[in-house]
Amino acid sequence: MNDPNGNVGAAIFAASRDPASRDGWLLGRIGQGDEDAMAAFYRAHGRVVLAQVLLVTGERALAEEIVQDTMLAVWRRAGDFRGDSSARSWVIAIARRQTRDRLRGRRLRVVDDAFLADRPGSGPGPEVTALDRAELAEVRVAIRDLGPAHREVLGLVFGSGLSLPEVAGVLEIPVGTVKSRLSAARAALSRILNEKGQIQ
Amino acid sequence: MNAPPTDTQSSHLDLDDLIAAANGQPIGDAAGEHLTGCEHCRLEASRWNLVADGVRSLAAATPEAAPPEAVPPEAAPPEAVPPEAVPPEAVPAAYPSHPGQLRRTGRRALARHRRRAVLVAGSAAAALVLLAGVGVGVGTWTGLVQVDLGGGASAEPVLTAVSGCPALESASGTLERMNGSSLVIKTPSGRPVTVTTTASTTASETGASAALLADITDGASVTVSGPSSDGTIAAFSVIIANPAQQHPQPPPGMVVVKGTVADASTAGFTVVTADGTRVPVTTSGDTNVSVLNASLGQFPVGVSILALGSAGPDGSLAAVGVVAIMAPPPASLPPSLPGARQIHVQTHAQGRQVYVKNCSPAAVDEALAAGG
């Protein structure tokens, strides 16, 4: 760690560590009531968690509420972190539970959605050509039209930077199911692109 | 990779490899070679890349959360935070143990943290500079964003570690044309991407090219790295105009010296250090030169471009940094230079460098957020 000025704060000290040891250290400090550590943890993960929750819920205000709840849960339960998973997957798992609780309160059919999400896609077919010809802006729009479970798995894999085993841990499903859900999500995305007629 | 299908002699990348590639993570040599030569897998990789780019661009467009003061306290269900779940001894002053106050005060505390983070991240991002060149001692010379410049069968520069970082988007391809202050690049998949720039966008050039060697002129501020023999450095890397760069201990057999160029010639130059020491430096066609603070107008059509910034709703990229790869670094660079085939992006915040030990997306994110 190069710190020629020697006066950097806790955040930079934390940043000097590799993410795993940094997060473990931060959570240890949070468990002791260290607010600066909480702030550093928030800086490290808050935006990613918000992006993931927003991707799933599609509602900004709700997503913010969930992130707030999640960070308060981190504050309260930092001592529970055992380092068996990465801190990011741990906090995202907390956020997912918070999200599930909120959505369940709205009586959304989360279970059905997850069931449908794991159904095998139709495999390579004409619709994959939609992705071959799609523009990024079109894909962005189409992703928003996916079901929550599909948005969730795509966000975890590509937005949150979690490994497939970590995603499996967060979703509490086998890695193989993560893969099938990913493939199903992509197939659904292609179908949406085709159905929207955005690809000629 | 999958086992070869029974009906063909070829095998294809499995989903793990395709996802890893889309996330900018390394895949095995065999998988990489296969990807280079297999049109089917390249197409599959391109599809997954597009999906990944779509997700990331959505994440990048996620603004910071609003200050909690704007969130009505009553919007939170009281039962969401059971007071008994909070051990009083673990609650600091900002989190009073009074059950009725806990949630609201907690929000305020988090808001304070978040506002601080927003300010810091903003200053860091605004001062983002591209440092292109040969990294020295990656364990201590801590790049934040790595760009694999290819090598082997692939000559395409591929941004490898910024993927997944919600704070940054990337675009790479060849320069097709300049449109005023915008660059239009053609990505490897053939899509045109407009990269917009502003006065604060940093531009740099890198590569082992005679044109860049010619930029080493008397009076230029340089940082030179390479092996030393009899007091003369055979430059592997020369970085121009980077006087603020800090340098750690170089790897064994290598030295790093910083100063001002004197006696520049086609064969080398002399570095005059701050204490007046004169260090002779030799250069060759293999010397990788990086020019920071380059002019976008100098970029020739057809050059490989890497740009980092934030994605606009129209699919353009508002760049905070653009780098032109004038020529790939020579393969002869010694493996003792971990950064020999990488480009590093470093953030500066409030005039102070931010260091992160590895180049993971999380590290980039952390550095941008914790910049001050």
Side-chain angles (χ1 to χ4, degrees):
Chain A
M1 178 66 176
N2 296 319
D3 178 14
N5 298 321
N7 58 352
V8 293
I12 300 301
F13 176 62
S16 72
R17 301 171 172 229
D18 68 88
S21 60
R22 174 206 64 196
D23 288 335
W25 178 79
L26 284 176
L27 288 168
R29 298 291 305 170
I30 293 168
Q32 298 170 31
D34 186 332
E35 283 190 83
D36 288 335
M38 184 70 228
F41 188 87
Y42 189 98
R43 283 195 291 269
H45 301 287
R47 183 167 176 152
V48 171
V49 174
L50 176 62
Q52 175 65 21
V53 174
L54 184 56
L55 187 63
V56 173
T57 64
E59 293 184 35
R60 176 59 191 270
L62 175 62
E64 287 189 1
E65 287 285 319
I66 291 170
V67 171
Q68 297 284 359
D69 290 346
T70 300
M71 289 302 171
L72 282 174
V74 169
W75 174 254
R76 296 199 311 265
R77 295 158 49 186
D80 295 344
F81 180 72
R82 299 287 177 245
D84 298 331
S85 61
S86 71
R88 176 154 292 180
S89 64
W90 180 72
V91 69
I92 286 178
I94 294 173
R96 182 172 187 266
R97 287 192 289 272
Q98 299 278 357
T99 304
R100 182 189 57 196
D101 292 344
R102 292 296 190 95
L103 295 182
R104 186 173 289 154
R106 294 180 173 199
R107 300 181 182 277
L108 291 186
R109 300 174 66 186
V110 177
V111 175
D112 285 355
D113 174 75
F115 171 74
L116 291 172
D118 294 339
R119 293 185 65 183
S122 56
E127 69 271 15
V128 298
T129 60
L131 273 174
D132 297 338
R133 300 160 65 183
E135 297 291 338
L136 179 60
E138 297 164 341
V139 173
R140 284 164 54 108
V141 172
I143 288 172
R144 290 196 178 101
D145 289 340
L146 288 171
H150 285 159
R151 294 199 305 269
E152 180 177 52
V153 73
L154 290 177
L156 290 172
V157 172
F158 297 120
S160 300
L162 301 185
S163 66
L164 293 182
E166 285 178 322
V167 172
V170 169
L171 296 178
E172 301 177 77
I173 57 177
V175 172
T177 307
V178 173
K179 294 178 184 177
S180 62
R181 190 172 294 186
L182 269 175
S183 297
R186 199 188 77 171
L189 193 63
S190 297
R191 282 194 294 273
I192 289 171
L193 288 167
N194 261 348
E195 289 167 4
K196 286 199 167 191
Q198 293 175 323
I199 308 301
Q200 301 301 316
Chain B
M1 289 170 58
N2 287 329
T6 55
D7 58 340
T8 74
Q9 293 301 310
S10 65
S11 57
H12 292 304
L13 299 187
D14 58 23
L15 188 59
D16 299 72
D17 285 328
L18 292 168
I19 297 302
N23 271 334
Q25 295 160 352
I27 58 177
D29 291 341
E33 289 176 12
H34 178 86
L35 184 60
T36 302
C38 176
E39 184 177 354
H40 170 85
C41 289
R42 285 203 307 274
L43 198 56
E44 274 294 282
S46 175
R47 291 166 182 155
W48 280 114
N49 283 340
L50 185 59
V51 175
D53 286 346
V55 174
R56 290 188 201 111
S57 65
L58 283 172
T62 303
E64 294 289 343
E69 286 84 350
V71 180
E74 61 273 17
E79 66 274 18
V81 183
E84 63 275 14
V86 184
E89 66 277 12
V91 179
Y95 296 78
S97 57
H98 188 285
Q101 292 292 312
L102 173 63
R103 183 176 189 83
R104 197 180 309 175
T105 312
R107 287 170 182 279
R108 287 190 181 128
L110 288 174
R112 176 163 51 82
H113 299 153
R114 185 168 49 213
R115 281 197 301 274
R116 193 191 309 165
V118 170
L119 292 173
V120 169
S123 62
L128 190 73
V129 296
L130 283 172
L131 167 59
V134 178
V136 179
V138 73
T140 48
W141 215 51
T142 50
L144 301 181
V145 179
Q146 293 180 320
V147 180
D148 189 339
L149 290 178
S154 172
E156 289 289 345
V158 178
L159 213 55
T160 58
V162 74
S163 299
C165 172
L168 288 177
E169 288 290 320
S170 66
S172 62
T174 55
L175 178 62
E176 286 210 316
R177 64 183 184 277
M178 295 290 299
N179 258 348
S181 61
S182 298
L183 298 80
V184 179
I185 65 174
K186 188 174 183 179
T187 68
S189 65
R191 288 202 305 270
V193 173
T194 298
V195 178
T196 61
T197 68
T198 67
S200 62
T201 301
T202 61
S204 58
E205 300 170 280
T206 189
S209 78
L212 292 180
L213 278 173
D215 285 335
I216 304 174
T217 56
D218 287 358
S221 295
V222 293
T223 300
V224 178
S225 60
S228 177
S229 176
D230 296 329
T232 298
I233 299 175
F236 282 155
S237 165
V238 178
I239 300 170
I240 303 176
N242 189 28
Q245 180 67 44
Q246 300 294 325
H247 294 284
Q249 290 299 313
M254 304 285 289
V255 296
V256 174
V257 64
K258 182 171 65 176
T260 304
V261 171
D263 308 328
S265 71
T266 55
F269 55 93
T270 298
V271 175
V272 182
T273 67
D275 64 3
T277 303
R278 299 175 69 88
V279 181
V281 176
T282 61
T283 58
S284 71
D286 283 348
T287 300
N288 196 81
V289 181
S290 300
V291 180
L292 277 66
N293 305 318
S295 168
L296 290 170
Q298 297 174 347
F299 291 178
V301 170
V303 72
S304 293
I305 296 289
L306 292 164
L308 296 177
S310 55
D314 58 352
S316 65
L317 185 88
V320 294
V322 178
V323 60
I325 315 296
M326 304 296 284
S332 59
L333 286 181
S336 59
L337 286 175
R341 292 168 52 233
Q342 296 165 350
I343 291 176
H344 299 261
V345 178
Q346 291 190 308
T347 60
H348 294 246
Q350 300 168 346
R352 190 166 56 206
Q353 288 187 334
V354 177
Y355 296 93
V356 173
K357 183 164 282 183
N358 64 38
C359 295
S360 69
V364 177
D365 204 19
E366 170 73 17
L368 288 172

